[in-house]
Amino acid sequence: MLKMAIMKNRKTRRTKAIRYVLMAFLSTTLNGAVNASDAGFTNPILRGGYPDPSICRKGDDFYVVNSSFEYFPGLPIHHSKDLINWELIGYGLHRPEQASSAVNLVDVQSDGGIHAPSIRCHNDRYYIITTNVYSPPEPGVPTQMVNFVITADDPAGPWSQPHVIEGAPGIDPDLFFESDGTVWYVGNHAPENPAFQGEGEIWLQQLDPTEWKLIGERYFLWRGALKGAIWAEGPHIYKKDGRYYLLIAEGGTSFDHAVTVASSDSLTGPYIGNSRNPILTSRHLSYDNWVNSTGHADLVELDDGRWFAVALGIRSDIARRSNMGRESHLIPVIWEEEPYEWKAEKLTWPVFAPSSGRVERENPSPFPGTRQNKPSTFVDNFDQANLKLDWNFRRVPKPGLFSLQAREGFLRLYADAALPRNRGRASLMGIRQTESDFEYIAEMKFEPLHEGSQAGITLFQKDDNYMRFTVEQTDSGYRLAVHVREARSEYENSLETLELTDYQGRIQLRIDSSKSSYALAYSLDEGKTWAEVASVPGDKFISQGYTGAYLGLFALSQQNQPGDFADFDWVKYAPRPRF
């Protein structure tokens, strides 16, 4: 009876899946090419710096978590009902005390911090497991890989304090919940006898989920499928029809990035690689393909038996790169049995993007009839009790950095004497740049007490790569200044200065990005007229590391002259997608 029920359930799910595929096919065929206005969707599904996506499902709800590296709050979590429209609902690391001790985001180095999380739901409880990569500032002290788990009853939070897993080397861990009730830690490390420099190995060990300790024997599963490909990492294990599937990333997170898969009839191995590996990559395509570096995937099964994957990729908007860095994309997945007649046991494997084998920009909707919302304008009038979720800081901000209560309807940003620097915490906050073309405006009231204090807007990639567009008090009044620090340069350059003879304490500052160039302008009459100050090439802020660009607010004071601040009335960010 049980076997018959299982077979009936599988048949029902297969019928649903076929119906959805046919509906999507007919929708695409009858309507022609899918575009943003049809019942389809455009990749990426999470636009802006949202790399290393991991996905889970509970009922009709989907959740994605992404790497956040040195940013705070960390571990952004999005929710969706249809896989194509996503809402930011919270962060896994949302309290300073979660990120100020064993997990250190206070003085973490650039491109350190939170790497490649995995989100899972088990028995109505949510788990995120991830790594904090921290290099102590003391010379000669080795980098620390702090692997930890946080839990929550609601993915919107609150999330627990980190449970650090001792004795767990490597990065990019995953949790696998076996049907017998055991919990398993899946990680990577450098093997004892590597065949080549940079070789990685995936390992597995049982985890006690009450004491958060590794127990029992450690099993070494797989070193990857691509000959000479470095960094076997990002492992995820799935169980389907009694077999286990190990999905990993290989080749590094640039143009050679790839997804490969292996399978075993036992959780602990041995694992056999798919002869058609890699199953997702852009390494075989032109460097000028619309998206490159695709990889680091995670799979999710729908209620009707269909499968999809989320994976990262980099849009080739500017010189084969982009200012947004690595973003999250959605890919359909089917499972196919091997056709080889000579094989005694024919294995079944996942096939990514079965019609093309690559991440496509335009796609049919996973649920026919649903439409993807167009990228919307972000406006913050600072009239809420708490800061909107979109705002991030580079590292855990200093206490008292800003206030939403000091002046009603304004965000007050207190000036600090620090410029952006590695491990530093400047008076700086921002939202993600989500498109290459956009308009960003902020209205500011700024009347400091001390000469040399300045405040305004900014675009920043890293501690050593940013642009500041500020109002500065001088000995004779006020002036506008544009400062640019190019990637990996030691100092910033003053690009432009302009005396503000008619400044009365209130100003609008604008960055308008078009044709791969940033135009900076200001208005003293509430946006009625604008005067352009400078134009900065967009390629000066191409993502060079793990994260993308942010558009933000900034305030600077001179040393030993505290007390100055800027009041921001509102901020508006209007993206202009290049569909």
Side-chain angles (χ1 to χ4, degrees):
M1 292 294 291
L2 178 61
K3 183 176 180 181
M4 290 177 64
I6 292 173
M7 293 300 292
K8 182 177 181 181
N9 182 53
R10 286 181 180 173
K11 184 177 180 181
T12 301
R13 294 169 67 190
R14 187 161 55 244
T15 302
K16 286 183 179 179
I18 292 171
R19 184 169 67 249
Y20 275 119
V21 170
L22 285 173
M23 289 173 68
F25 172 78
L26 289 172
S27 174
T28 305
T29 304
L30 294 175
N31 295 326
V34 177
N35 58 54
S37 63
D38 291 334
F41 75 95
T42 302
N43 271 317
I45 53 168
L46 293 180
R47 310 173 84 83
Y50 288 111
D52 307 324
S54 176
I55 189 169
C56 75
R57 177 180 71 88
K58 182 185 177 185
D60 295 331
D61 297 287
F62 301 92
Y63 301 96
V64 163
V65 67
N66 296 90
S67 299
S68 50
F69 299 96
E70 63 266 37
Y71 283 93
F72 184 85
L75 295 168
I77 301 166
H78 285 80
H79 167 255
S80 177
K81 288 281 190 181
D82 57 17
L83 289 172
I84 58 177
N85 294 297
W86 295 87
E87 177 190 5
L88 180 63
I89 60 170
Y91 294 86
L93 299 175
H94 51 89
R95 301 185 304 275
E97 59 267 28
Q98 292 175 290
S100 302
S101 184
V103 177
N104 185 344
L105 295 180
V106 175
D107 67 343
V108 67
Q109 73 281 5
S110 288
D111 282 333
I114 304 302
H115 284 57
S118 176
I119 186 169
R120 296 292 182 255
C121 182
H122 180 69
N123 290 339
D124 296 329
R125 190 155 182 81
Y126 293 87
Y127 299 78
I128 293 176
I129 185 169
T130 187
T131 311
N132 187 60
V133 178
Y134 180 80
S135 296
E138 297 81 14
V141 180
T143 296
Q144 302 168 4
M145 310 293 187
V146 181
N147 289 293
F148 65 93
V149 177
I150 55 176
T151 63
D153 294 324
D154 184 340
W159 287 82
S160 71
Q161 285 293 110
H163 304 286
V164 175
I165 312 300
E166 300 293 347
I171 59 174
D172 302 3
D174 189 23
L175 289 176
F176 178 75
F177 296 89
E178 181 58 291
S179 55
D180 62 4
T182 56
V183 182
W184 295 81
Y185 181 108
V186 191
N188 91 321
H189 69 168
E192 289 187 5
N193 301 300
F196 52 86
Q197 186 176 2
E199 184 180 33
E201 182 175 52
I202 308 303
W203 60 272
L204 175 81
Q205 191 169 352
Q206 191 174 342
L207 179 69
D208 181 341
T210 56
E211 298 294 328
W212 303 106
K213 293 182 179 179
L214 295 169
I215 55 177
E217 182 180 353
R218 183 168 295 182
Y219 301 90
F220 303 105
L221 305 185
W222 201 39
R223 296 190 183 186
L226 305 182
K227 185 177 181 181
I230 53 177
W231 302 317
E233 56 194 8
H236 296 296
I237 289 182
Y238 315 90
K239 190 175 184 179
K240 184 180 186 301
D241 299 331
R243 288 194 67 86
Y244 299 87
Y245 293 87
L246 173 60
L247 194 76
I248 72 168
E250 294 191 55
T253 189
S254 185
F255 291 106
D256 288 338
H257 207 193
V259 177
T260 59
V261 64
S263 180
S264 174
D265 58 8
S266 169
L267 175 63
T268 56
Y271 281 81
I272 301 170
N274 185 353
S275 62
R276 295 200 287 177
N277 280 320
I279 58 173
L280 180 70
T281 189
S282 58
R283 61 195 297 159
H284 62 298
L285 302 174
S286 166
Y287 293 122
D288 294 318
N289 187 52
W290 80 271
V291 64
N292 63 72
S293 307
T294 54
H296 199 106
D298 193 11
L299 292 168
V300 64
E301 183 181 11
L302 276 57
D303 182 60
D304 56 46
R306 292 180 299 145
W307 290 71
F308 282 84
V310 288
L312 68 81
I314 299 173
R315 280 187 271 179
S316 300
D317 279 6
I318 304 175
R320 297 172 173 169
R321 309 294 287 178
S322 94
N323 294 0
M324 290 79 70
R326 305 177 305 161
E327 304 173 284
S328 294
H329 300 72
L330 183 70
I331 306 106
V333 176
I334 63 170
W335 293 77
E336 282 187 336
E337 184 181 79
E338 295 173 332
Y340 310 119
E341 296 180 359
W342 50 268
K343 292 190 71 172
E345 182 184 15
K346 298 178 183 180
L347 300 181
T348 299
W349 297 102
V351 180
F352 281 57
S355 64
S356 68
R358 60 187 181 185
V359 177
E360 298 290 353
R361 188 193 298 264
E362 310 294 347
N363 307 266
S365 291
F367 301 96
T370 58
R371 296 180 182 275
Q372 184 181 41
N373 298 328
K374 293 181 179 180
S376 59
T377 296
F378 170 81
V379 177
D380 197 342
N381 294 313
F382 304 116
D383 53 3
Q384 299 178 345
N386 298 307
L387 200 62
K388 285 190 175 182
L389 291 174
D390 306 77
W391 293 99
N392 284 180
F393 303 87
R394 287 189 61 75
R395 307 175 182 89
V396 176
K398 294 179 181 179
L401 176 69
F402 70 94
S403 172
L404 291 169
Q405 288 75 41
R407 185 173 185 173
E408 186 176 356
F410 288 78
L411 179 137
R412 178 162 293 180
L413 185 64
Y414 292 95
D416 189 270
L419 282 169
R421 71 183 192 283
N422 191 31
R423 300 184 181 275
R425 296 188 289 173
S427 183
L428 175 73
M429 54 192 290
I431 60 172
R432 285 172 173 82
Q433 178 183 335
T434 60
E435 301 292 341
S436 291
D437 299 332
F438 62 86
E439 180 185 63
Y440 173 67
I441 306 174
E443 182 164 312
M444 177 181 72
K445 289 186 175 182
F446 182 54
E447 297 178 283
L449 299 173
H450 304 103
E451 182 181 331
S453 291
Q454 54 186 287
I457 62 176
T458 177
L459 182 145
F460 54 94
Q461 275 282 1
K462 287 293 180 185
D463 298 316
D464 62 355
N465 188 203
Y466 57 82
M467 171 173 61
R468 299 191 293 112
F469 184 27
T470 59
V471 174
E472 180 180 355
Q473 189 189 64
T474 68
D475 57 358
S476 59
Y478 292 90
R479 69 179 180 185
L480 274 175
V482 178
H483 299 276
V484 173
R485 186 170 178 182
E486 298 191 36
R488 301 183 180 89
S489 62
E490 191 172 352
Y491 304 104
E492 63 177 37
N493 296 316
S494 177
L495 190 67
E496 187 67 65
T497 58
L498 175 69
E499 297 301 321
L500 283 174
T501 56
D502 297 328
Y503 181 69
Q504 300 297 318
R506 192 178 189 109
I507 192 171
Q508 291 184 14
L509 300 172
R510 182 179 72 186
I511 301 175
D512 190 285
S513 179
S514 178
K515 298 179 180 179
S516 302
S517 180
Y518 295 113
L520 281 60
Y522 74 98
S523 174
L524 296 175
D525 56 8
E526 298 184 337
K528 296 182 181 66
T529 60
W530 290 89
E532 186 168 327
V533 177
S535 180
V536 182
D539 61 6
K540 293 192 180 297
F541 306 104
I542 288 177
S543 176
Q544 304 287 341
Y546 295 145
T547 56
Y550 280 71
L551 295 153
L553 309 173
F554 177 80
L556 181 70
S557 65
Q558 294 300 311
Q559 200 75 27
N560 302 320
Q561 291 185 336
D564 283 337
F565 56 83
D567 285 337
F568 292 90
D569 193 354
W570 53 266
V571 166
K572 183 181 79 170
Y573 169 72
R576 297 193 292 263
R578 297 179 180 179
F579 289 128

